[in-house]
């Protein structure tokens, strides 16, 4: 999750997972996104305006109910296919081009360790996170 606030440094909050869920699912479920949002809210200690793509897990009934119950969360949905408007796509691009390129991973643990190291490096470089927002053509305004 790329986090931006006028007048403050940009932040990156992430929760990579290695293990499959008990139900066999390997990707994030809506409850994982819910938990990430709750963690971000605690970490950022303020209201969140979430700009989201149309991933099916973002649109589930459970996620919609959770969003409706939170007064600190406002969600703006991106158009149907608009990766060029999503700053997180830039984060993944940086990760693939800089940290995951030309590596033969020896195990899933090696892959997850490398992903975490790359995300941690990006996390401490707010200029990279700012560049991902600038690449979208979107900009922040003070309320």
């Amino acid at each position: 999750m790329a986090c931006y606030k006028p007048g403050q440094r940009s932040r990156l909050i992430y929760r990579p997972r290695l293990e499959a869920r008990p139900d066999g699912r390997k990707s994030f479920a809506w409850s994982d996104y819910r938990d990430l949002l709750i963690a971000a809210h605690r970490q950022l200690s303020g209201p969140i305006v979430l700009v989201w793509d149309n991933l099916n897990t973002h649109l589930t009934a459970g996620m919609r109910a959770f969003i409706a119950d939170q007064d600190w969360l406002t969600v703006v949905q991106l158009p149907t296919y608009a990766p060029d408007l999503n700053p997180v796509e830039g984060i993944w691009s940086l990760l693939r081009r800089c940290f995951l390129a030309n590596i033969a991973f020896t195990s899933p643990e090696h892959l997850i360790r490398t992903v975490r190291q790359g995300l941690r490096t990006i996390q401490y470089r707010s200029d990279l996170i700012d560049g991902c927002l600038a690449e979208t053509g979107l900009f922040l305004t003070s309320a």
Side-chain angles (χ1 to χ4, degrees):
M1 179 183 298
C3 306
Y4 303 94
K5 186 172 183 179
Q8 294 188 10
R9 74 175 183 84
S10 302
R11 301 177 66 167
L12 181 65
I13 300 173
Y14 58 92
R15 301 285 185 276
R17 64 180 309 139
L18 177 59
E19 71 285 345
R21 298 171 47 86
D23 61 4
R25 182 184 185 113
K26 294 182 182 176
S27 61
F28 267 37
W30 76 268
S31 55
D32 296 316
Y33 287 106
R34 175 201 60 205
D35 296 346
L36 178 63
L37 287 169
I38 291 169
H41 177 61
R42 286 184 186 137
Q43 190 172 343
L44 300 170
S45 62
I48 293 175
V49 176
L50 181 65
V51 180
W52 241 356
D53 59 16
N54 288 295
L55 183 66
N56 60 355
T57 353
H58 297 166
L59 305 173
T60 62
M63 194 72 224
R64 285 194 310 262
F66 169 74
I67 290 167
D69 289 342
Q70 310 309 313
D71 60 344
W72 51 265
L73 182 60
T74 304
V75 174
V76 178
Q77 209 70 39
L78 286 172
T80 302
Y81 184 74
D84 51 328
L85 295 177
N86 189 346
V88 175
E89 294 294 335
I91 301 290
W92 286 117
S93 178
L94 280 170
L95 194 62
R96 283 189 305 269
R97 287 182 292 126
C98 299
F99 301 97
L100 302 177
N102 301 318
I103 296 177
F105 296 103
T106 57
S107 67
E109 292 79 16
H110 181 206
L111 171 63
I112 199 77
R113 188 173 54 250
T114 305
V115 167
R116 284 181 191 262
Q117 288 170 343
L119 288 172
R120 190 175 313 116
T121 300
I122 294 169
Q123 187 177 36
Y124 291 113
R125 297 275 316 272
S126 59
D127 58 318
L128 292 177
I129 302 168
D130 290 340
C132 292
L133 178 64
E135 187 66 27
T136 67
L138 302 173
F139 55 92
L140 297 175
T141 59
S142 298

